[in-house]
Amino acid sequence: MVYCIRSKEGTQTIYTHLEVTELTSDIFDFCSSMTDEQDGRARELIERAAAKWPLRILHVLSDAGAPLRFSRLMERVEGISQKVLTQTLRTLERDGLVIRTLYPQVPPRVEYELTPLGRDLLMQVVSLWRWIVEHLDDFDACKAVKLTATADA
């Protein structure tokens, strides 16, 4: 059971009713048909996608709407180092989420763009991302309560 606390335009509204969310027993049925190997691979992909930079890079590539050169990505993904961007792009390419195109010219030109799989992943993550952003105040309130309780103890 969850209390609904929503913020709207800087004001906080607390609904007095209780929202009941039922997780039906069949919601995770797809897991029972997975092998241990598939489960492990799925968890690895979730961990890699949820790391610090991959979703940000996919978001930037999506916003660009066209292939981006490495240097343009560096400019748009604030705070990332060249090394980490290179490593993350290699991982995203290996996972099939990004296409790397090398143009044979001097100096070489490399561009990156989302694959259909990368675009689909980003679309699936958006609802979770939006939910988290909408509930940041709730998370902060819970954290504040916990810190207060710890300080009082």
Side-chain angles (χ1 to χ4, degrees):
M1 291 189 253
V2 178
Y3 286 100
C4 287
I5 301 171
R6 306 262 189 230
S7 295
K8 184 176 181 182
E9 297 179 21
T11 62
Q12 194 173 55
T13 304
I14 301 175
Y15 297 98
T16 57
H17 69 279
L18 204 52
E19 180 181 297
V20 178
T21 303
E22 287 188 41
L23 292 176
T24 58
S25 61
D26 63 345
I27 196 167
F28 291 107
D29 277 353
F30 70 94
C31 292
S32 63
S33 64
M34 291 173 34
T35 65
D36 287 344
E37 180 192 355
Q38 289 171 325
D39 182 59
R41 287 180 27 228
R43 290 173 188 277
E44 286 175 18
L45 285 166
I46 289 170
E47 286 177 18
R48 282 202 303 267
K52 185 173 183 178
W53 299 109
L55 292 176
R56 180 70 183 132
I57 292 168
L58 294 177
H59 181 219
V60 166
L61 287 170
S62 175
D63 275 355
L68 285 179
R69 294 181 75 165
F70 184 89
S71 56
R72 296 297 150 276
L73 269 170
M74 276 289 297
E75 291 170 359
R76 295 179 187 195
V77 182
E78 294 181 26
I80 195 169
S81 69
Q82 183 176 343
K83 177 183 175 182
V84 172
L85 179 58
T86 299
Q87 291 171 340
T88 305
L89 285 168
R90 285 180 184 159
T91 300
L92 291 171
E93 182 184 10
R94 185 179 64 239
D95 290 339
L97 303 172
V98 168
I99 295 172
R100 177 181 184 264
T101 305
L102 173 64
Y103 296 93
Q105 60 190 46
V106 178
R109 181 175 59 134
V110 178
E111 292 181 341
Y112 297 90
E113 63 184 308
L114 285 180
T115 64
L117 187 63
R119 194 172 315 302
D120 190 38
L121 172 65
L122 196 55
M123 293 307 299
Q124 299 303 314
V125 171
V126 165
S127 59
L128 174 61
W129 204 333
R130 181 179 295 123
W131 182 87
I132 289 171
V133 170
E134 289 173 357
H135 290 84
L136 285 175
D137 290 341
D138 300 336
F139 288 112
D140 291 343
C142 290
K143 186 177 179 180
V145 167
K146 181 69 174 170
L147 289 174
T148 302
T150 304
D152 292 342

